[in-house]
Amino acid sequence: SRDGARVVFSGLTTAGYSDLFLLDFATQQLTRLTEDRFLDEDPVFSPDGRSIVFASDRSRFGPGGARNLVRMDVDTRAMHFLTWGNWRDRSPRYSSDGRIAFASDRSGSSDLYLIDEKGSGYRLTELTGGAFDPAWLPDGRSIVFAGFQNSRFRIYRQSVPERGSAIALDAHAAAADPVGTSATAWTWTELTGEGIRAEARPYSTWDKMSIDF
């Protein structure tokens, strides 16, 4: 959080699921914020510390590898989509005035976008090789990010434009998502039914022998 009192992070559970956790430095209390089969990653506090935005596959597009941005109220754990679609949105970063920069491949390659807390905004970059991992500078008017151009990665600095190609959350479609922000996740077919069964086969062993690789 901006006051340095808490940190939110993504961690793997003993079952191998990626959930969000909140650590209070003063009390040393660790609180689990999500507990389901969804992949939750890249969490970041809002400037006032009351909500968290993170990337997750908790939508009907999740089985195909899609990620969307989700906003969670820290106290109530209520969640709603900030982005929703069959693409990969990652690395959300809040500015001091509540704007959110993030990377997305919705245009075909990874570029940076800017939205408000209602999911409306615009595109920031158009790099041929892609732009990744945005970070706000203290002035709130510029960002730095990693970009791939001319067969190499570079660090770029860019002033945030006042406008660009508009994007907006389809709130009606997001609200109607059959998966949405429920705790009931879609499942991998490989982990159900015949997909997890193995046929037992006899085998033989040879003592005092080894194989050189």
Side-chain angles (χ1 to χ4, degrees):
S1 57
R2 289 186 179 268
D3 60 6
R6 298 171 296 169
V7 63
V8 61
F9 61 93
S10 175
L12 288 178
T13 68
T14 54
Y17 298 128
S18 177
D19 285 321
L20 301 184
F21 297 84
L22 179 67
L23 176 63
D24 187 299
F25 290 120
T27 64
Q28 292 295 296
Q29 180 178 357
L30 181 65
T31 303
R32 188 169 177 173
L33 298 177
T34 61
E35 189 171 359
D36 47 47
R37 295 180 181 176
F38 297 116
L39 173 65
D40 300 326
E41 57 189 7
D42 296 334
V44 60
F45 272 107
S46 62
D48 61 11
R50 296 179 180 178
S51 60
I52 292 167
V53 171
F54 59 97
S56 179
D57 62 0
R58 56 179 67 235
S59 76
R60 66 182 180 87
F61 306 108
R67 304 282 189 275
N68 293 132
L69 300 187
V70 178
R71 185 183 182 194
M72 171 193 287
D73 183 285
V74 175
D75 292 330
T76 67
R77 312 289 170 83
M79 292 182 275
H80 67 268
F81 288 110
L82 289 180
T83 65
W84 184 85
N86 191 18
W87 47 65
R88 291 171 175 82
D89 297 334
R90 299 178 182 273
S91 307
R93 298 292 183 267
Y94 262 105
S95 67
S96 58
D97 61 0
R99 293 172 296 165
I100 303 165
F102 65 98
S104 176
D105 67 356
R106 63 183 63 201
S107 65
S109 62
S110 183
D111 269 303
L112 302 187
Y113 294 79
L114 181 70
I115 57 172
D116 58 23
E117 292 182 323
K118 294 183 179 180
S120 296
Y122 51 90
R123 185 173 178 173
L124 295 177
T125 65
E126 293 188 39
L127 287 183
T128 304
F132 316 88
D133 299 322
W136 288 91
L137 293 178
D139 64 9
R141 298 191 297 269
S142 304
I143 55 174
V144 294
F145 59 94
F148 189 77
Q149 288 279 69
N150 301 321
S151 302
R152 67 179 65 182
F153 282 98
R154 302 173 186 268
I155 301 298
Y156 293 83
R157 174 175 177 167
Q158 174 178 309
S159 296
V160 175
E162 295 183 359
R163 62 181 63 86
S165 299
I167 62 172
L169 171 69
D170 187 339
H172 179 74
D177 191 305
V179 177
T181 55
S182 70
T184 304
W186 47 261
T187 59
W188 292 276
T189 56
E190 293 84 356
L191 299 181
T192 59
E194 297 297 320
I196 59 174
R197 297 185 61 183
E199 180 181 352
R201 298 178 181 178
Y203 63 92
S204 301
T205 62
W206 289 269
D207 295 333
K208 300 179 181 179
M209 296 182 65
S210 66
I211 298 176
D212 291 332
F213 293 97

